[in-house]
């Protein structure tokens, strides 16, 4: 018996040795580059003697915090991306050939260069709240810059830039995360709506910017003329300049929101007009009315479907049609409800409307003068950024034109009984009042990412509105979007 065990042991050793030597590979070339010349992204090119899968383990030298890239497929030449690196930081790494017997290279090192001066956030100051745990779960904050060069950037919990994409000939107004893990950007022409680009003092906002309506013309309303899809490695996957490819003028300008569904169809808002007879000064006159709608396209720019508020609006029964005729609704955002119908923000009415995406019918109106019984102290005004939060509640950013105080609100709606329960109310300090723009997102840790656009401030608050983290930017961001670290799971994971 002992002899048999010895023989089996020898066979196992021989077979293991044979497999090891048969699989043994050789690292022929190794090149480390920065494809977009940023401090936050390096790419490692690996050439092997034999085909095999490869991944990289890398870590911050000072902290030892360790990461692992995804495993590339079996081949001779590999390119692996190291994303969300910290500027001016030393890293060590090893190439791992992922065969039966893992082969690791010697420990190598690199240091990322210092951050480009124009990407350094100087506005996270010690005198402002800056709890690094407020963001939680290693998430990031996405902000967009609408002038030239336009850009999108991710800020971490210290206010540092960790990801950056730039476009030289046009600005970036707004963005969203797609179902396929990319970023969808709304592109806007330079020096359009420039009045929204500069931060204002609280006194300026209160004295000059709290009235309705706010007319900016066809290009206004956070308007843009194009869209682009950007990969997490900063590649432009496609770009549509609607003002160049669309023959119908109404489809050449989009505004406020941009989304992609699971079928890769694009949803945005547009400005349909209506020629109608209206009562002006006691006389019926023919004029052009300005409205809003939803535009659905494919990634080639083909228009698939449209919805216009004018299709479901009776102007003969509208007492405000003359007053707001050039901007009747000022729709400034939309999202998909849990049943995939549209939820549209209509700030002229201080309401959220639910629209049947198939028939175009207005199913209900929520807010001041709407169809739901609600706490009147939770009425909102000129609201922005409606969405269904992780709790399944309708959440929005209340600009608060009547009280001149802005902040986050959330509601649990009973659509059958037409009742609304206020589930969250986190109003910002009064000196962060923003009459226009703004956003509020409930994060996984329960805190709220809020944007006081007119004051140029990005904040994280708790659910009572207490400010935990604050950064004042040099410009007025349209909104600040929460981006979970999980978005990058197909590129790297942290080794705990």
């Amino acid at each position: 018996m002992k002899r048999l065990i010895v023989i089996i042991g020898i066979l196992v050793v021989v077979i293991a040795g044979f497999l090891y030597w048969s699989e043994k590979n050789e690292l022929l070339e190794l090149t480390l580059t920065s494809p977009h010349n940023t401090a936050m992204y390096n790419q490692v090119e690996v050439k092997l003697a034999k085909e095999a899968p490869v991944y990289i383990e890398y870590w911050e030298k000072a902290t030892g915090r360790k990461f692992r890239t995804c495993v590339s497929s079996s081949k001779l030449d590999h390119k692996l991306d190291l994303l969300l690196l910290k500027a001016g930081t030393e890293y060590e790494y090893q190439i791992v050939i992922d065969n039966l017997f893992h082969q690791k290279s010697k420990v190598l090192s690199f240091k990322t260069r210092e951050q480009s001066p124009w990407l350094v956030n100087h506005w996270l100051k010690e005198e402002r709240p800056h709890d690094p745990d407020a963001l939680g779960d290693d998430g990031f904050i996405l902000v967009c810059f609408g002038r030239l060069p336009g850009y999108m950037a991710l800020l971490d919990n210290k206010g540092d830039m960790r990801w950056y994409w730039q476009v030289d000939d046009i600005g970036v107004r707004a963005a969203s995360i797609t179902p396929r893990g990319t970023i969808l950007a709304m592109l806007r022409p330079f020096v359009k709506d420039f009045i929204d680009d500069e931060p204002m003092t609280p006194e300026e906002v209160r004295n000059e910017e709290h009235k309705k309506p706010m007319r900016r013309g066809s290009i206004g309303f956070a308007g843009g003329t194009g869209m682009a899809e950007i990969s997490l490695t900063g590649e432009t996957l496609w770009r549509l300049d609607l003002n160049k490819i669309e023959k119908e003028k109404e489809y050449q300008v989009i505004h406020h929101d941009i989304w992609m569904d699971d079928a890769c169809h694009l949803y945005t808002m547009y400005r349909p007009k209506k020629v109608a007879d209206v009562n002006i000064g006691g006389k019926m006159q023919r004029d052009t009315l300005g409205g809003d709608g939803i535009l659905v396209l494919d990634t080639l720019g083909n228009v698939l479907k449209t919805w216009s508020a004018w299709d479901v609006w009776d102007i003969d029964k509208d007492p405000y049609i003359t007053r707001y005729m050039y901007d009747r609704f000022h729709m400034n955002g939309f999202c998909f409800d849990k049943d995939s119908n549209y939820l549209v923000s209509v700030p002229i009415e201080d309401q959220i409307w639910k629209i049947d995406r198939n028939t175009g019918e207005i199913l209900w109106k929520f807010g001041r003068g709407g169809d739901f019984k609600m706490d009147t102290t939770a009425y909102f005004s000129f609201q922005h950024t409606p969405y269904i939060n992780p709790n399944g509640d309708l959440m929005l950013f209340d600009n608060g034109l009547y009280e001149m105080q802005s902040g986050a609100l959330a509601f649990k709606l009973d659509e059958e009984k037409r009742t609304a329960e206020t589930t969250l109310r986190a109003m910002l300090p009064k000196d962060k009042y923003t009459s226009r723009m703004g956003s509020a997102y409930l994060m996984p840790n329960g805190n709220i990412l809020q944007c006081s656009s007119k004051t140029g401030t990005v904040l994280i608050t708790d659910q009572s509105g207490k400010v935990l983290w604050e950064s004042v930017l040099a410009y007025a961001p349209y909104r600040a979007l929460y981006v979970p670290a999980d978005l990058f799971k197909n590129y790297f994971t942290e080794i705990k």
Side-chain angles (χ1 to χ4, degrees):
M1 186 67 179
K2 287 184 178 180
R3 186 176 180 182
L4 179 60
I5 293 173
V6 170
I7 292 172
I8 292 173
I10 292 172
L11 287 174
V12 169
V13 171
V14 170
I15 292 171
F18 173 78
L19 291 174
Y20 175 79
W21 286 107
S22 65
E23 278 204 331
K24 188 174 182 181
N25 212 327
E26 185 179 356
L27 180 60
L28 300 179
E29 292 181 19
L30 178 64
T31 307
L32 185 138
T33 59
S34 181
H36 302 301
N37 195 30
T38 73
M40 302 88 77
Y41 170 36
N42 279 347
Q43 188 177 80
V44 181
E45 297 182 31
V46 175
K47 186 176 182 63
L48 302 178
K50 295 189 296 185
E51 290 187 352
V54 167
Y55 64 89
I56 297 175
E57 292 181 352
Y58 59 107
W59 54 94
E60 298 174 22
K61 188 173 181 180
T63 66
R65 192 175 179 188
K66 197 169 188 179
F67 307 90
R68 169 178 165 163
T69 69
C70 62
V71 181
S72 66
S73 59
S74 182
K75 53 190 173 183
L76 294 176
D77 299 303
H78 302 260
K79 289 183 179 180
L80 296 110
D81 299 301
L82 309 183
L83 300 175
L84 302 182
L85 300 174
K86 294 181 180 178
T89 301
E90 288 189 69
Y91 288 86
E92 294 182 328
Y93 69 105
Q94 284 183 295
I95 310 299
V96 182
I97 302 174
D98 191 29
N99 49 28
L100 181 61
F101 298 93
H102 287 186
Q103 291 179 243
K104 291 190 175 184
S105 71
K106 65 179 181 179
V107 175
L108 305 163
S109 65
F110 65 90
K111 182 177 181 180
T112 55
R113 65 175 179 79
E114 297 300 317
Q115 188 62 278
S116 301
W118 62 90
L119 294 181
V120 176
N121 182 358
H122 298 287
W123 307 287
L124 187 68
K125 300 295 186 182
E126 289 294 325
E127 61 267 22
R128 299 192 186 102
H130 57 281
D131 179 358
D133 296 325
L135 188 57
D137 197 31
D138 295 324
F140 299 93
I141 300 168
L142 178 65
V143 292
C144 302
F145 183 68
R147 294 203 180 186
L148 295 183
Y151 68 75
M152 299 184 292
L154 290 180
L155 300 174
D156 67 11
N157 61 355
K158 296 182 179 178
D160 293 331
M161 297 282 189
R162 299 289 296 281
W163 183 93
Y164 178 76
W165 175 80
Q166 178 177 303
V167 57
D168 293 335
D169 65 319
I170 199 166
V172 181
R173 185 58 166 179
S176 66
I177 305 302
T178 74
R180 52 188 182 188
T182 55
I183 300 177
L184 192 60
M186 178 184 291
L187 308 177
R188 76 158 201 175
F190 179 49
V191 193
K192 298 293 184 182
D193 277 356
F194 64 89
I195 192 171
D196 286 337
D197 283 345
E198 298 293 336
M200 302 175 74
T201 66
E203 292 75 17
E204 289 173 329
V205 177
R206 286 194 295 268
N207 294 334
E208 302 296 334
E209 282 290 305
H210 66 280
K211 305 178 185 69
K212 290 192 294 187
M214 178 188 68
R215 188 183 178 205
R216 292 283 189 266
S218 294
I219 196 69
F221 317 101
T225 56
M227 55 184 79
E229 185 180 3
I230 313 303
S231 75
L232 297 185
T233 57
E235 305 300 326
T236 302
L237 303 177
W238 52 262
R239 172 176 168 175
L240 296 176
D241 290 294
L242 300 175
N243 58 331
K244 297 178 182 178
I245 66 174
E246 296 294 345
K247 294 181 180 179
E248 174 59 57
K249 284 190 176 181
E250 284 188 349
Y251 301 157
Q252 294 177 359
V253 175
I254 57 178
H255 64 95
H256 279 99
D257 255 326
I258 182 169
W259 299 102
M260 178 186 286
D261 68 11
D262 292 335
C264 300
H265 294 152
L266 309 172
Y267 296 74
T268 188
M269 306 188 79
Y270 77 119
R271 295 279 296 157
K273 296 178 173 59
K274 181 180 180 68
V275 177
D277 294 321
V278 294
N279 189 327
I280 301 176
K283 296 181 179 179
M284 296 302 292
Q285 298 183 31
R286 176 149 291 200
D287 210 330
T288 301
L289 311 180
D292 295 284
I294 294 174
L295 179 66
V296 186
L297 311 98
D298 62 22
T299 54
L300 298 176
N302 298 307
V303 176
L304 305 178
K305 189 176 181 180
T306 61
W307 172 83
S308 170
W310 294 125
D311 295 338
V312 293
W313 195 253
D314 188 345
I315 63 174
D316 294 331
K317 296 180 180 179
D318 184 351
Y320 303 111
I321 192 64
T322 302
R323 182 180 179 186
Y324 295 143
M325 60 189 299
Y326 298 119
D327 180 19
R328 178 56 187 92
F329 311 103
H330 195 97
M331 293 180 180
N332 63 9
F334 81 102
C335 67
F336 300 103
D337 201 353
K338 289 172 284 190
D339 59 8
S340 297
N341 287 315
Y342 302 133
L343 295 174
V344 182
S345 173
V346 189
I348 294 295
E349 300 290 299
D350 297 330
Q351 293 175 346
I352 303 294
W353 292 356
K354 182 165 182 173
I355 310 296
D356 187 306
R357 68 186 294 178
N358 295 315
T359 67
E361 175 189 0
I362 300 175
L363 300 176
W364 47 250
K365 300 175 182 179
F366 170 63
R368 196 183 305 265
D371 301 320
F372 286 73
K373 183 179 180 181
M374 62 181 294
D375 181 356
T376 58
T377 66
Y379 280 159
F380 43 87
S381 175
F382 215 80
Q383 70 288 336
H384 279 75
T385 326
Y387 89 111
I388 301 300
N389 72 19
N391 296 332
D393 298 339
L394 171 59
M395 191 160 174
L396 54 85
F397 184 78
D398 176 16
N399 288 84
L401 265 62
Y402 298 103
E403 298 80 10
M404 293 191 185
Q405 186 174 12
S406 307
L409 291 172
F411 304 91
K412 186 175 296 296
L413 304 183
D414 188 324
E415 296 186 61
E416 291 185 4
K417 297 180 180 178
R418 292 292 197 264
T419 59
E421 175 191 355
T422 306
T423 56
L424 186 153
R425 186 170 189 170
M427 306 310 291
L428 297 174
K430 289 196 172 183
D431 64 352
K432 298 304 178 186
Y433 166 58
T434 176
S435 56
R436 312 292 175 189
M437 308 180 287
S439 59
Y441 295 99
L442 181 63
M443 301 189 298
N445 66 355
N447 291 334
I448 306 165
L449 174 64
Q450 303 203 50
C451 180
S452 169
S453 299
K454 295 304 296 184
T455 64
T457 313
V458 176
L459 311 101
I460 298 173
T461 72
D462 64 15
Q463 294 194 19
S464 71
K466 179 182 177 181
V467 177
L468 308 174
W469 188 97
E470 177 182 333
S471 181
V472 180
L473 304 181
Y475 61 97
Y478 171 58
R479 63 171 63 135
L481 179 67
Y482 175 74
V483 176
D486 190 53
L487 182 66
F488 290 83
K489 65 183 179 182
N490 291 330
Y491 289 90
F492 72 92
T493 55
E494 183 171 0
I495 302 174
K496 301 294 187 179

